[in-house]
């Protein structure tokens, strides 16, 4: 079926502003992604999974200007033992990055990998699989036009976390990065991501975790007020593997985080969680799709949003249990704390089950500060502002506790406390 003319025009206008990288082992995947993108077209507000989030500024030929936030706050994760890899407006910074050598892992850059590479079997493959049954055009755009990224092959258990740091300097930067992560059988690693990245940032991470492998992923999205971001994580899990991902978001005028997880091996575990803090011109969308296609697998989706001054939060989460995926344990919860009557939380939880021996549940709630609990704290001498902050921290605790590493948990909570204190001040 031919695309509507308006969608076709918008797609071609966006493509005209980009250059398809030529040559190398990625070229077939890039050309395939371009063909798929032209066939599906870029998203519009009429699309089912975009009806709560206007994609206009994410698909425009040029990004809206976004000033970089000036802050003297110590960058998050600086206290962690890590291998630091820095991108400034989507461009790798060798001067600010550590040496990419680390025992138990091989790290290459997408932009420098011209010869046949192990990532050829994965680049664009998981993204393509994730296009069914829901089209994800911005992910196809990423596969086609990503200018750089990391190819991370985890062969053992690295002693340090791998920290991807994204810095934003130019008000009109438009960065597209694509990462591929392969975790071998029995291997284990932690990947940290932080920073705003660019005025407009499109990232994609394809993750394959082999039998018995483990990957922890923790992301803190930058505090720049005017930034826009569309992120994608596609994960495929083997037998007895584990994948856990958590994202903390504060500020940003528009953020769309998509996570697509596929269970292909029995007895695997996948947890995806997030917490966001929004104030004023803030629109935050978490869209998750989990497919159970193996026996005795566990998935958890835990999302908490704190919104005020007209901020908008969106959650769209689906659990699909295919025939034969018996003994599936699927859990999904999305909740919002609305600190005024102007903010809005829009939720679309879904279960689609074709097996009969499963335990799947979903729930979604939205409400304000509990006045009885607030009275209890104030009666014991806690000022109202501090009491509200304490209750906010308690509200997001279930999501933060999905992080395995206690020190990272504490680091993220301290950042939330600082954000609340600035808003209270």
């Amino acid at each position: 079926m031919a695309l509507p003319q308006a969608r076709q025009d918008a797609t071609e206008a966006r493509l005209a502003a980009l250059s398809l990288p030529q040559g190398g082992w990625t070229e077939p995947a890039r050309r395939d992604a371009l063909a798929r993108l032209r066939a599906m077209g870029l998203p519009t507000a009429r699309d089912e999974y975009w009806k709560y989030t206007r994609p206009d500024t994410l698909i425009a030929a040029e990004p809206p200007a976004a000033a970089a936030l000036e802050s003297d706050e110590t960058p998050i994760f600086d206290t962690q033992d890590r291998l630091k890899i820095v991108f400034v407006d989507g461009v790798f910074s060798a001067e600010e990055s550590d040496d990419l050598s680390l025992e138990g892992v091989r790290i290459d850059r997408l932009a420098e990998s011209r010869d046949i590479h192990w990532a050829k079997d994965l680049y664009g493959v998981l993204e393509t699989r994730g296009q069914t049954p829901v089209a994800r055009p911005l992910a196809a755009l990423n596969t086609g036009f990503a200018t750089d990224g990391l190819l991370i092959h985890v062969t053992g258990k690295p002693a340090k976390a791998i920290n991807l740091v994204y810095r934003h300097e130019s008000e009109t930067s438009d960065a597209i990065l694509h990462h591929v992560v392969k975790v071998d059988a029995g291997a284990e690693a932690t990947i940290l991501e932080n920073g705003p990245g660019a005025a407009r940032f499109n990232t994609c991470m394809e993750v394959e975790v082999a039998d018995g492998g483990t990957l922890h992923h923790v992301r803190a999205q930058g505090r720049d007020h005017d930034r826009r971001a569309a992120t994608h994580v596609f994960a495929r899990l083997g037998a007895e593997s584990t994948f856990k991902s958590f994202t903390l978001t504060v500020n940003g005028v528009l953020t769309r985080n998509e996570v697509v997880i596929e269970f292909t091996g029995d007895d695997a575990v996948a947890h995806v969680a997030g917490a966001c803090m929004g104030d004023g011109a803030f629109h935050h969308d978490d869209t998750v799709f989990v497919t159970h296609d193996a026996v005795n697998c566990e998935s958890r989706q835990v999302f908490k949003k704190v919104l005020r001054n007209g901020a908008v939060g969106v959650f769209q989460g689906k659990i699909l249990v295919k025939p034969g995926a018996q003994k599936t344990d699927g859990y999904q919860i999305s909740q919002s704390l609305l600190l005024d009557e102007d903010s809005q939380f829009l939720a679309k939880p879904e279960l689609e089950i074709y097996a009969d021996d499963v335990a799947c549940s979903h729930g979604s709630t939205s409400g304000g500060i509990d006045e009885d609990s607030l009275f209890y704290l104030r009666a014991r001498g806690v000022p109202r502002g501090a009491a509200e902050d304490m209750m906010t921290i308690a509200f997001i605790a279930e999501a933060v506790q999905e992080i395995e590493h206690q020190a990272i948990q504490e680091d993220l909570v301290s950042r939330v406390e600082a954000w609340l204190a600035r808003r209270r001040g």
Side-chain angles (χ1 to χ4, degrees), residues 344-356:
Q344 190 176 21
F345 178 55
L346 305 167
K348 184 186 176 187
E350 297 179 85
L351 298 178
E352 187 173 345
I353 301 171
Y354 298 100
D356 53 14

Side-chain angles (χ1 to χ4, degrees), residues 54-121:
R54 292 184 61 87
D56 309 41
T57 56
L58 295 175
I59 67 171
E62 300 296 334
L69 179 71
E70 297 292 337
S71 174
D72 57 3
E73 186 179 25
T74 302
I76 198 167
F77 303 140
D78 264 17
T79 60
Q80 305 300 320
D81 190 16
R82 60 184 178 147
L83 175 72
K84 184 172 71 170
I85 306 172
V86 181
F87 291 88
V88 180
D89 290 323
V91 178
F92 175 72
S93 174
E95 297 78 13
E96 299 177 73
S97 300
D98 296 333
D99 183 87
L100 300 187
S101 300
L102 180 63
E103 186 176 355
V105 62
R106 172 185 170 184
I107 304 174
D108 298 310
R109 285 181 49 215
L110 179 65
E112 292 186 341
S113 177
R114 308 303 294 175
D115 296 331
I116 296 298
H117 195 277
W118 62 261
K120 185 177 188 297
D121 294 333

Side-chain angles (χ1 to χ4, degrees), residues 200-266:
R200 181 170 64 184
F201 198 28
N202 182 328
T203 67
C204 182
M205 180 180 289
E206 296 182 283
V207 178
E208 178 158 80
V209 186
D211 297 355
T214 299
L215 183 67
H216 300 282
H217 173 238
V218 182
R219 175 171 55 181
Q221 294 179 311
R223 293 198 294 110
D224 288 24
H225 294 285
D226 298 324
R227 65 166 179 81
R228 289 169 169 80
T231 77
H232 315 84
V233 176
F234 297 92
R236 181 167 62 185
L237 306 185
E240 300 182 3
S241 63
T242 300
F243 173 71
K244 293 189 176 182
S245 177
F246 173 86
T247 299
L248 173 67
T249 307
V250 294
N251 297 354
V253 70
L254 175 60
T255 305
R256 164 93 167 199
N257 295 327
E258 297 196 31
V259 179
V260 180
I261 297 173
E262 181 183 12
F263 288 96
T264 60
D266 298 343

Side-chain angles (χ1 to χ4, degrees), residues 41-58:
L42 287 170
T44 73
R46 291 179 177 273
D47 295 345
E48 176 67 18
Y49 281 90
W50 284 92
K51 66 180 181 179
Y52 297 140
T53 300
R54 292 184 61 87
D56 309 41
T57 56
L58 295 175

